[in-house]
Amino acid sequence: MDRRAELAEQVLDYVLEHGLIGLSLRPLAAALNTSDRMLIYHFGSKERLVGAALALAQQRLAAAAEPPGEAVRSVADLVRHLWSSLAHPSGTQITRLYLDLSVLAAKEPERWRPAVEQLRGPWREPLRGGLLALGVAAAEAEPLADLILATLDGLALDRMVAADPARADDAAAAFADLLDRHPG
């Protein structure tokens, strides 16, 4: 592994532990036993450094999320499958990062919205494709994919901050049960 890739892995681990909001290069560099100048040398800018960490986060999330198998025969099964990936510890870490990015994007949309899409976007198209494969009409697949993602985003946030995370798990199950009534 080259030094840039090694640093990107370490940056992601740091961000997953400490969060992205308020990320400063000097404390980050100190934690990685390097200097802020070396981080800029390897990545060009703080934004590119964050971008490299986000690309790795997406790879980790994709690796942790098993592809839907033969047991996924309905929209509700697909939602249950996605929820199990999000509720997994690695999914929870990525959700925390997604939340940080969402807060930053709300404050500075031009700067951070692309990063939100980088982390979330790759879920949308496979979900849409899965819905189409399950027989959901093409006109309904995209808005339904957005509804599912937005609902799971909210439930994942609730699961992270709630005193009883099982309530979010129960709510995700109830949401999937509601979708059992959806044709497809």
Side-chain angles (χ1 to χ4, degrees):
M1 183 182 314
D2 70 358
R3 182 66 177 145
R4 185 179 190 279
E6 180 183 324
L7 284 170
E9 290 279 351
Q10 293 173 342
V11 168
L12 177 56
D13 291 340
Y14 180 91
V15 167
L16 290 174
E17 182 178 338
H18 300 281
L20 189 58
I21 295 175
L23 178 68
S24 179
L25 288 181
R26 286 192 178 139
L28 170 64
L32 303 182
N33 294 317
T34 189
S35 70
D36 55 333
R37 289 186 0 222
M38 287 307 294
L39 290 174
I40 296 300
Y41 169 79
H42 285 289
F43 295 96
S45 69
K46 182 178 176 181
E47 285 76 16
R48 288 187 186 151
L49 178 140
V50 169
L54 293 176
L56 282 173
Q58 180 56 36
Q59 290 172 10
R60 285 187 189 178
L61 189 58
E66 294 186 26
E70 293 177 15
V72 174
R73 296 184 180 164
S74 69
V75 174
D77 290 340
L78 186 57
V79 167
R80 288 183 191 98
H81 174 77
L82 290 172
W83 182 252
S84 69
S85 296
L86 286 172
H88 186 273
S90 63
T92 300
Q93 286 183 317
I94 302 300
T95 299
R96 189 175 300 118
L97 178 59
Y98 175 74
L99 174 62
D100 282 357
L101 283 169
S102 296
V103 168
L104 291 168
K107 292 180 178 184
E108 298 179 69
E110 293 78 25
R111 182 176 181 193
W112 293 105
R113 188 176 293 134
V116 170
E117 283 303 310
Q118 181 180 353
L119 196 57
R120 185 176 196 246
W123 283 73
R124 184 178 289 117
E125 192 54 37
L127 177 56
R128 184 182 165 281
L131 292 169
L132 290 171
L134 290 168
V136 174
E140 293 180 34
E142 191 162 337
L144 183 56
D146 286 337
L147 172 64
I148 290 169
L149 286 175
T151 301
L152 295 182
D153 283 349
L155 290 170
L157 169 61
D158 190 42
R159 190 175 197 281
M160 282 185 344
V161 300
D164 182 10
R167 290 181 59 199
D169 294 334
D170 293 344
F175 177 59
D177 291 343
L178 285 173
L179 291 173
D180 265 335
R181 297 182 192 117
H182 189 280

